[in-house]
Amino acid sequence: MAATRATGFLDRESERDVLDRLLAQGRDGQSAVLVIRGEAGIGKTELLRYAARQASGFRVVQVMGVEAEMELPFAGIHQLCAPVLDQLAALPQPQQDALNVALGLASGDVPDRFLVGLAVLGLLSAGSEDRPLLCLVEDAQWLDAASGVILGFVTRRLLAETVAMVIAVREPDMRRDFDGLSELRLRGLPEEPARALLMRAVPGRLA
């Protein structure tokens, strides 16, 4: 983890510029979505932390995909919606009902995913009315299937909402939840910052 944190401070200037532009879009009242893809330990988490640090004026919502929760439908959506549930009354009643059942706040049959998707979209939109909303999703490859589908549905329909979304996915990933969205693919560091990173991580003289 320490090596990953160091990576962000040694390089990744172009990647940070991409995140700065995404946040600027949100501040200008436009929606923005970015999917960060890369192998384990390459710096995705540090870039999410960078975005959170730079998000002055934003309301920040963070979601963490958890491998142990992949079989729990709507577990990821619960993380996403919990901080903005105070806006639930702004949704049409059918969407309220579907989301309440999905989040375990009411009993009922398994809700229609289309209705849940519309409810999540409406909830994020309502939650961004007072100030821009930044949603950071880490380890999206471990989201439960329902949450992955719904999150992909929502990101493709963000238009005039002041919502910025950054989703980090570990590669290789066979799921297609976020296909077609703007992507940033992380590669290894150039030689000079890679050497500097190694010197930080391994004290003493190197052969």
Side-chain angles (χ1 to χ4, degrees):
M1 185 61 70
T4 301
R5 286 197 295 270
T7 301
F9 293 106
L10 288 168
D11 198 58
R12 303 299 188 199
E13 290 184 10
S14 62
E15 290 88 347
R16 284 180 278 166
D17 286 343
V18 171
L19 291 172
D20 289 341
R21 290 194 295 271
L22 177 139
L23 294 173
Q25 274 187 251
R27 292 189 181 97
D28 289 341
Q30 305 174 54
S31 63
V33 178
L34 180 68
V35 180
I36 301 176
R37 295 186 181 274
E39 63 189 35
I42 204 165
K44 301 182 297 298
T45 296
E46 177 57 31
L47 287 175
L48 290 181
R49 290 173 179 166
Y50 174 81
R53 291 194 301 269
Q54 298 300 109
S56 60
F58 280 80
R59 184 177 189 177
V60 180
V61 174
Q62 302 196 48
V63 177
M64 171 75 76
V66 180
E67 191 172 10
E69 296 182 0
M70 290 183 69
E71 301 303 319
L72 301 178
F74 306 110
I77 292 302
H78 181 272
Q79 291 186 61
L80 180 65
C81 293
V84 288
L85 272 180
D86 56 331
Q87 302 296 324
L88 188 62
L91 304 180
Q93 195 62 49
Q95 294 180 26
Q96 288 189 46
D97 295 341
L99 191 58
N100 275 326
V101 173
L103 299 183
L105 302 175
S107 59
D109 297 332
V110 176
D112 180 82
R113 291 186 183 181
F114 179 72
L115 269 181
V116 176
L118 290 177
V120 174
L121 179 61
L123 199 65
L124 296 180
S125 178
S128 67
E129 287 185 356
D130 294 334
R131 54 177 169 157
L133 183 66
L134 174 64
C135 301
L136 302 175
V137 183
E138 186 170 0
D139 283 330
Q141 75 281 352
W142 287 336
L143 290 173
D144 61 278
S147 293
V149 169
I150 290 168
L151 189 59
F153 172 91
V154 168
T155 52
R156 292 184 183 90
R157 286 160 178 79
L158 290 173
L159 296 172
E161 298 82 2
T162 53
V163 178
M165 185 98 56
V166 183
I167 302 166
V169 182
R170 179 185 297 184
E171 295 281 83
D173 178 42
M174 303 305 294
R175 293 169 57 165
R176 308 184 67 96
D177 300 326
F178 310 113
D179 284 4
L181 300 172
S182 297
E183 289 189 352
L184 176 62
R185 291 188 175 269
L186 296 188
R187 309 298 181 192
L189 290 171
E191 182 175 351
E192 184 174 342
R195 285 181 179 274
L197 174 61
L198 186 59
M199 293 298 292
R200 285 189 187 184
V202 182
R205 186 174 179 178
L206 297 175

